[in-house]
Amino acid sequence: MTDNRATLRARLDAAVGSAQVLTAESDVLPYVTDWRGRFHGRALAVVRPGSTDEVADVVRICAELRVPIVAQGGNTGQCGGATPDAEGNAIVLSLARMNRVRAVDPDNATLTAEAGVPLAAVQQAAADSGLLFPLSLAAEGSCTIGGNLSTNAGGTAVLRFGNARELVLGIEVVLADGRIWNGLRGLRKDNTGYDLKQLFIGAEGTLGIVTAAVLKLYPAPRARVTALAAVPDVASSVRLLRDLRAALGDRVTGFELMSALSMAIARKHHPGSPDPCPGHPWYALIQADDTLVDSPLPAQVELALGAALESGVALDATIAQSVEQAHTLWALRENIAEAQRREGPNIKHDISLPVSAIPRFVDEARDALSAALPGIRFVTFGHLGDGNLHYNLAGPEGTDQGAFMANARQANRIVHDLVAAHGGSISAEHGIGQLKREELTRYKSATEMDLMRKVKAALDPAGVLNPGKVL
Amino acid sequence: MTDNRATLRARLDAAVGSAQVLTAESDVLPYVTDWRGRFHGRALAVVRPGSTDEVADVVRICAELRVPIVAQGGNTGQCGGATPDAEGNAIVLSLARMNRVRAVDPDNATLTAEAGVPLAAVQQAAADSGLLFPLSLAAEGSCTIGGNLSTNAGGTAVLRFGNARELVLGIEVVLADGRIWNGLRGLRKDNTGYDLKQLFIGAEGTLGIVTAAVLKLYPAPRARVTALAAVPDVASSVRLLRDLRAALGDRVTGFELMSALSMAIARKHHPGSPDPCPGHPWYALIQADDTLVDSPLPAQVELALGAALESGVALDATIAQSVEQAHTLWALRENIAEAQRREGPNIKHDISLPVSAIPRFVDEARDALSAALPGIRFVTFGHLGDGNLHYNLAGPEGTDQGAFMANARQANRIVHDLVAAHGGSISAEHGIGQLKREELTRYKSATEMDLMRKVKAALDPAGVLNPGKVL
C-alpha cells in the first residue's frame, strides 16, 4: 500500500507537477468537505491538472493503480457527489485550473469553455458578445460549468431554456481508461449515431470526466418585467401560470412559488425586506423577458395580471418599476435558503411533479405530515413553472429544531411516497450524489436500475470513477 | 430452419393474433422497401402489435429465437434505417397500430402519445388544446412520432425549438430482451441518475423500441411573419441571420437558404410559382413567430429587413401580406425536393456545419467539385439557421443525369472530407440507417466508435435489434 502510494505520488507529480498535487491536510480539507457541511471525506491527494491531456494522464495513472477518482468543480453540490468517502483511498481531481473560455463564435451563437470556468464567467463572456447564456442559479459565482453539466444543473430559467443538458452542443470527456473523447462539436443538428454526450451530462462524474463543452448562446433580452402576485392557493398559482403563458407565451421565463411562511422567514432574517402584498397565503414571483426591440411586454404583463385580479386567480399584485425593485422582489425568493439556514435545520426535499399534480400533492402531503408530526411547518417554495418544489419541513414553532431532524426518515418516506404516487422525482435538480443513493434504489424500477448498472459497467468496468455515487 | 419458422409463426400468432402477422408477399412488400426506393429487403413477417405488452411479447419471442427485429413507424426514413436486409431472416415490427394519444395535460403542457401516432395528429391534438407541438417536417402527414424520436428528427423549427430530442420529457421502451422500461415521466426537472431516454432517442431502433412518449407542448404562436430576402452571397445570409436575431431575438423560428438554381428548379416543375425577387444568386426564407398578444412583430420584421436592404446585406425583400402569400413563399422552399426528383437524380448530402463555417465551406466545396467534375451544378438549400444544408449535386446541364450518379463516391468524398475539416456532420437530420454506415466509420474517431459499440453491447448483447444499422 505504501509502495503503491509512493508510486502514485511520483507519477502524479510527473504528470501535473508536484505543486498541483496537494497532500497536506490543511490543503486537502476544503476539497473533502461538501458545501453544506454534511459530508466529510478523506483523500490520498488533491490533483489539479491544467489541461485535458493532464486530466487524461491522471486518469490513466489512477486506472492503472486502481485508485478511485472523485472529480470536482466548484464544490457547491448539494448531495455530496463531489466529496470522497471516508476510506481515504481516492484522489480528488479538481478541474479548477481548467478555466479558459476557449472560443466565442457569435455567428454560430456558441461558446467553448473548459470545465473549470465559473458559471458567472460563462455568462459574462456571452454578454460581452451581446448574447445570453441562460443558465442561472444561486451558486453561479463559484460553481463551474463542468459541475453544472455533470449534475445537469437547473436553476431559475428552466421554464424557458431547459436544464444544463439542453444548453450543450458538444463536450470533451476523459474516459475511465484515460482516453480522451473529443465530442466538441458546435452543431445544432448532428444525427451520426448515438448522442454520447448525453451519457456524461448529469452522470456526476461516474461515467467520464467532462473537461470542456460547446455551449449554446441566445439573443440577449431587451425588456424584463418582474412581478409579485398573491394567490389564494396553489391551484390558483397553477392557473395563473397557465393564464400568463396563454397571454405572454414563452416570454414567461420564471415562475416561482413561495408560501407566506417562506417569505416571512426570509424577511425575518433579512431586515429591511419589503412585504409588497401582505396578508396572503401564497405568492408567485413572475419574470418575463423579451428579446424584441421596443417590446410591448410591460404593458402586456400589466394587462395579464389585471385580468388575473379580476377573475380572482390573483388577490393582489405588484410590478417592479425599476431594476432595483426587481432585485428586491427576487431577493425575497433568493433569501429563503439562507434564512432557513439561520432559522435552524430543516428536513429538505428537492422534488418535482407534473405541474398539474402539484395542488393535490401539496394538500395530501400537508395532511399526511400534519397527522404524523403534529405542528409541523411547511417552508414550501420553488420553481413552480418547472414543477420543482423545494419542499422543506420545519418543526413546530418554539420547539428544538435540531431534535426535529430525528423525524427526517419518517418525513422523507411520506413525502417521497407521495411524489412517486404522483409520477414525480425525488431529485429534481440537485442530483443523487451519496445523499440519495438509498432512496434511488427504493423508487426506481428494477429495470431502470439494471439499465443504469449496465451503462456504468460498459463505460467504467473497473469502477474507478466516483465510486459510491449515484449507483 | 423451417421448424424454427413454424415455431416463430405460431408464437407470433398467439401474441398478436394471426391477422396482425403478415407474410403474403404483397402484404409484406410495402414494409420492406424504403420511401426513396433505394433499399429493398425481405422479411419473415410483418408483425403489427396493438399495445406495449404485445410489442414486449413479440420482442421476447424474437430474442429467444434469435430473430432480428426491424422496428418501423411511417416508413418515411431517408437512410434505409427501417428496411430489413435482403437475407430475409428478420421481422418488421410495425408500430402503426399503436396510434392513440393517451393524454393531453394542458396545465403541465404535455402530451402522451403512442409511437404510431402520425406527427400531424400530434400537432393537431396539441392545437386542439390551444398549444403547439413544434416539430414540423415534410413527411408529417405520414411519419410517426415513434420514428421521429428514434431518428431524432429535425425539420424547420429547430432554430427555435431544437430537434425531436429536445421535445421529449419521457419515453416508454421495450428493451432487447422484451422487458418494458416505463420512463413515461412528465417532468421538466428530474436528476435521478442517468438520463436513459437519451440512449433510445436517435438510436434508430438499435438499442430498444420506443412505444410511447411524453412530449413538451408550447404556447401557440399568435403572430407569424414570412418573408423572402435576396442576398448577394452566403456570407451575407449568415450576416442577415445574425442581424435578424439581434433585432427580433428568438422570434426568428425559421431561416432557410436557397440558391437561385434550387428555386429555378422548383419553379420549373411547379408552374405558377411566383418569382418574388428575381435575378439574385441566393435567397433566405425567413419565418418569425410571436406568442405575445398584439405582437409588434410584423412592423419589427419590416424595420429589420429595411435595415438589411440599406446596409447591403440584403438586395431585395418581400414580406407575405396574407397566409396565402406565406404558403406560396414556403412552397418555393418545400417544392425543391419534389422538383429535384422530377429533374433527375442528384448526389445528395444532408450535412451540418457551424453556421459561421458555412460561407467558407460553400466556396471551398464549389471550387473542389468544379475542378473534379467540370460543369457540375449545385442545388444548395437548407436550414441555414441550424447550420444544416441539403447540399445536392446535379450533372452538367443537358447531360445524362443518371450517368452522373457514377460520380457519387468521388463527390461524397470531397464533400464529406470538407465537412469534417470544418467540424461538421455528414448526417445532420436524416440519420445513418444502412446508407451511411461506411461513412460513419470513416469520419468518427475510433474512440467514439468504440463507445457506441460498448453501449450497443450493453443494451442489446445478442444483437437482435435492427442489426446492420447505424453501427
Side-chain angles (χ1 to χ4, degrees):
Chain A
M1 191 63 190
T2 314
D3 269 10
N4 221 343
R5 286 191 186 192
T7 307
L8 175 71
R9 177 67 203 245
R11 292 188 61 184
L12 291 175
D13 283 357
V16 300
S18 58
Q20 303 303 342
V21 182
L22 316 179
T23 52
E25 203 183 327
S26 59
D27 291 340
V28 169
L29 199 63
Y31 296 87
V32 296
T33 305
D34 82 313
W35 177 78
R36 288 174 69 188
R38 288 179 71 133
F39 298 101
H40 305 276
R42 290 168 59 228
L44 292 174
V46 175
V47 187
R48 296 163 43 92
S51 68
T52 304
D53 284 339
E54 287 187 6
V55 174
D57 288 345
V58 170
V59 172
R60 200 175 306 109
I61 292 164
C62 290
E64 283 173 27
L65 301 177
R66 290 282 189 275
V67 173
I69 302 164
V70 181
Q72 189 175 99
N75 195 19
T76 60
Q78 302 269 342
C79 298
T83 310
D85 65 22
E87 299 290 316
N89 295 328
I91 66 154
V92 171
L93 191 157
S94 168
L95 281 304
R97 286 179 63 227
M98 292 194 60
N99 59 1
R100 280 190 315 130
V101 172
R102 289 189 191 165
V104 182
D105 182 343
D107 277 336
N108 199 40
T110 51
L111 181 154
T112 307
E114 294 181 343
V117 179
L119 173 54
V122 174
Q123 295 167 342
Q124 188 57 51
D128 290 346
S129 289
L131 293 166
L132 171 76
F133 183 65
L135 189 67
S136 177
L137 44 95
E140 60 196 27
S142 41
C143 66
T144 62
I145 192 67
N148 297 147
L149 300 195
S150 293
T151 58
N152 186 30
T156 55
V158 172
L159 179 59
R160 166 65 185 85
F161 295 101
N163 298 284
R165 183 182 302 278
E166 293 174 73
L167 305 175
V168 184
L169 292 179
I171 57 174
E172 179 186 79
V173 181
V174 174
L175 304 174
D177 56 9
R179 284 181 300 168
I180 298 168
W181 173 50
N182 183 344
L184 281 179
R185 297 190 272 264
L187 304 173
R188 277 172 173 75
K189 283 183 176 172
D190 177 26
N191 277 340
T192 50
Y194 307 151
D195 192 353
L196 296 169
K197 68 174 176 291
Q198 306 291 349
L199 282 171
F200 303 101
I201 299 170
E204 305 188 30
T206 63
L207 299 178
I209 296 172
V210 177
T211 49
V214 182
L215 305 169
K216 291 188 206 171
L217 304 181
Y218 292 81
R222 295 161 186 271
R224 169 157 290 190
V225 182
T226 306
L228 186 77
V231 291
D233 48 37
V234 177
S236 297
S237 74
V238 171
R239 177 68 194 277
L240 180 61
L241 171 66
R242 190 174 158 185
D243 289 353
L244 286 177
R245 277 166 63 96
L248 307 171
D250 50 11
R251 306 297 83 212
V252 183
T253 47
F255 194 99
E256 304 283 315
L257 180 71
M258 299 178 282
S259 69
L261 179 59
S262 315
M263 281 179 65
I265 292 175
R267 275 199 305 278
K268 174 179 164 189
H269 292 278
H270 295 87
S273 302
D275 189 3
C277 305
H280 298 291
W282 293 95
Y283 296 88
L285 179 68
I286 299 143
Q287 173 141 334
D289 292 304
D290 199 351
T291 50
L292 201 63
V293 172
D294 299 328
S295 167
L297 189 68
Q300 297 286 3
V301 171
E302 211 170 316
L303 269 176
L305 285 175
L309 287 168
E310 204 151 311
S311 67
V313 168
L315 302 173
D316 195 1
T318 182
I319 298 178
Q321 299 300 318
S322 65
V323 172
E324 197 180 36
Q325 279 184 18
H327 284 160
T328 308
L329 290 182
W330 266 104
L332 287 173
R333 163 69 180 84
E334 283 164 350
N335 288 337
I336 295 174
E338 176 60 25
Q340 271 192 296
R341 196 195 319 260
R342 295 191 205 163
E343 186 75 4
N346 269 205
I347 302 171
K348 296 190 172 191
H349 307 93
D350 168 42
I351 58 176
S352 69
L353 296 141
V355 174
S356 49
I358 285 182
R360 271 187 63 195
F361 166 82
V362 168
D363 284 351
E364 291 171 13
R366 179 201 56 215
D367 292 349
L369 288 162
S370 298
L373 303 164
I376 192 171
R377 292 177 302 156
F378 303 91
V379 189
T380 306
F381 62 101
H383 317 290
L384 185 84
D386 318 319
N388 178 195
L389 293 182
H390 297 300
Y391 190 77
N392 299 341
L393 305 170
E397 205 160 4
T399 63
D400 180 345
Q401 295 298 313
F404 176 71
M405 294 302 286
N407 300 304
R409 188 168 277 271
Q410 187 187 0
N412 289 348
R413 193 58 54 240
I414 292 171
V415 172
H416 290 167
D417 279 358
L418 265 173
V419 164
H422 284 287
S425 165
I426 61 161
S427 187
E429 58 178 7
H430 294 166
I432 299 300
Q434 49 188 299
L435 179 66
K436 293 189 184 169
R437 275 179 80 200
E438 218 185 299
E439 290 294 272
L440 190 73
T441 54
R442 174 181 281 267
Y443 291 103
K444 287 276 183 197
S445 69
T447 303
E448 186 157 349
M449 291 304 300
D450 177 59
L451 283 172
M452 286 205 265
R453 289 192 191 103
K454 284 201 162 87
V455 169
K456 172 73 175 176
L459 270 65
D460 179 22
V464 294
L465 293 177
N466 215 3
K469 311 295 166 55
V470 184
L471 285 176
Chain B
M1 191 63 192
T2 314
D3 269 8
N4 221 344
R5 287 191 185 193
T7 307
L8 175 71
R9 177 67 203 244
R11 292 187 63 184
L12 291 174
D13 283 355
V16 301
S18 58
Q20 303 303 341
V21 183
L22 316 180
T23 51
E25 203 183 326
S26 60
D27 291 340
V28 170
L29 199 64
Y31 296 88
V32 296
T33 305
D34 82 314
W35 178 79
R36 289 174 69 187
R38 289 180 70 134
F39 297 102
H40 305 277
R42 290 168 58 228
L44 291 175
V46 175
V47 188
R48 297 162 42 93
S51 69
T52 304
D53 284 338
E54 287 188 4
V55 174
D57 288 344
V58 171
V59 172
R60 199 175 306 110
I61 293 164
C62 291
E64 283 172 28
L65 300 177
R66 290 283 189 274
V67 173
I69 302 164
V70 181
Q72 188 174 100
N75 196 20
T76 60
Q78 302 270 342
C79 298
T83 309
D85 65 23
E87 298 290 317
N89 297 326
I91 66 154
V92 171
L93 193 158
S94 167
L95 281 304
R97 286 180 62 228
M98 292 193 61
N99 58 2
R100 280 191 316 132
V101 173
R102 289 190 190 164
V104 182
D105 182 344
D107 277 336
N108 199 41
T110 51
L111 181 154
T112 306
E114 294 181 343
V117 180
L119 173 53
V122 174
Q123 295 167 343
Q124 188 56 52
D128 290 344
S129 290
L131 294 165
L132 171 75
F133 183 65
L135 189 67
S136 178
L137 44 94
E140 61 196 26
S142 42
C143 66
T144 62
I145 193 68
N148 296 148
L149 301 195
S150 293
T151 58
N152 186 30
T156 55
V158 173
L159 179 60
R160 166 65 185 84
F161 294 100
N163 299 286
R165 182 183 301 281
E166 294 174 74
L167 305 176
V168 184
L169 293 179
I171 57 174
E172 179 187 80
V173 181
V174 173
L175 305 174
D177 56 10
R179 282 181 300 166
I180 298 168
W181 173 50
N182 182 342
L184 280 179
R185 295 189 274 264
L187 304 173
R188 279 173 171 75
K189 284 184 175 171
D190 178 25
N191 276 340
T192 50
Y194 309 150
D195 192 354
L196 296 170
K197 69 175 175 290
Q198 306 292 348
L199 282 170
F200 304 101
I201 299 170
E204 304 187 31
T206 63
L207 299 179
I209 296 172
V210 177
T211 48
V214 182
L215 306 169
K216 291 189 207 171
L217 304 182
Y218 292 81
R222 295 162 186 271
R224 170 158 290 189
V225 182
T226 305
L228 185 79
V231 292
D233 47 38
V234 177
S236 297
S237 74
V238 171
R239 177 68 194 278
L240 180 61
L241 171 65
R242 189 173 160 186
D243 288 354
L244 286 178
R245 277 167 62 95
L248 307 171
D250 50 12
R251 305 299 81 207
V252 184
T253 48
F255 194 99
E256 303 283 315
L257 180 71
M258 300 177 281
S259 69
L261 179 58
S262 316
M263 281 178 64
I265 291 175
R267 274 199 306 278
K268 174 177 164 191
H269 292 278
H270 294 87
S273 302
D275 191 3
C277 305
H280 299 290
W282 293 95
Y283 296 88
L285 179 67
I286 298 144
Q287 173 141 333
D289 291 305
D290 199 351
T291 50
L292 201 62
V293 172
D294 298 330
S295 167
L297 189 68
Q300 298 285 1
V301 171
E302 210 170 319
L303 269 175
L305 285 175
L309 288 168
E310 202 150 312
S311 67
V313 168
L315 301 173
D316 195 0
T318 181
I319 298 178
Q321 299 300 318
S322 65
V323 171
E324 197 180 36
Q325 279 185 18
H327 284 161
T328 309
L329 290 181
W330 267 105
L332 287 173
R333 162 70 180 84
E334 284 164 351
N335 287 337
I336 296 174
E338 177 58 26
Q340 270 193 296
R341 196 195 319 257
R342 296 192 205 164
E343 187 74 4
N346 269 207
I347 302 172
K348 294 190 172 193
H349 306 93
D350 168 42
I351 57 176
S352 69
L353 296 140
V355 174
S356 49
I358 286 182
R360 271 188 61 196
F361 166 82
V362 169
D363 284 352
E364 291 170 13
R366 179 201 56 214
D367 292 349
L369 288 162
S370 298
L373 302 164
I376 191 171
R377 292 176 303 156
F378 303 92
V379 188
T380 306
F381 62 100
H383 318 291
L384 185 85
D386 318 318
N388 178 194
L389 292 183
H390 297 300
Y391 190 77
N392 299 340
L393 305 171
E397 205 160 1
T399 64
D400 178 345
Q401 296 298 313
F404 177 71
M405 294 302 286
N407 300 303
R409 187 167 278 270
Q410 187 187 3
N412 289 347
R413 192 60 53 241
I414 292 171
V415 172
H416 288 166
D417 279 358
L418 263 173
V419 164
H422 283 287
S425 165
I426 61 160
S427 186
E429 57 177 9
H430 294 166
I432 299 300
Q434 48 188 303
L435 180 67
K436 294 189 183 169
R437 275 179 81 199
E438 217 185 299
E439 290 294 274
L440 190 73
T441 54
R442 174 181 280 268
Y443 292 103
K444 287 277 181 195
S445 69
T447 302
E448 187 158 347
M449 290 304 299
D450 177 59
L451 282 172
M452 285 204 268
R453 289 191 192 106
K454 285 201 161 85
V455 169
K456 172 74 174 176
L459 269 65
D460 180 21
V464 293
L465 294 176
N466 215 2
K469 310 295 166 55
V470 184
L471 284 175

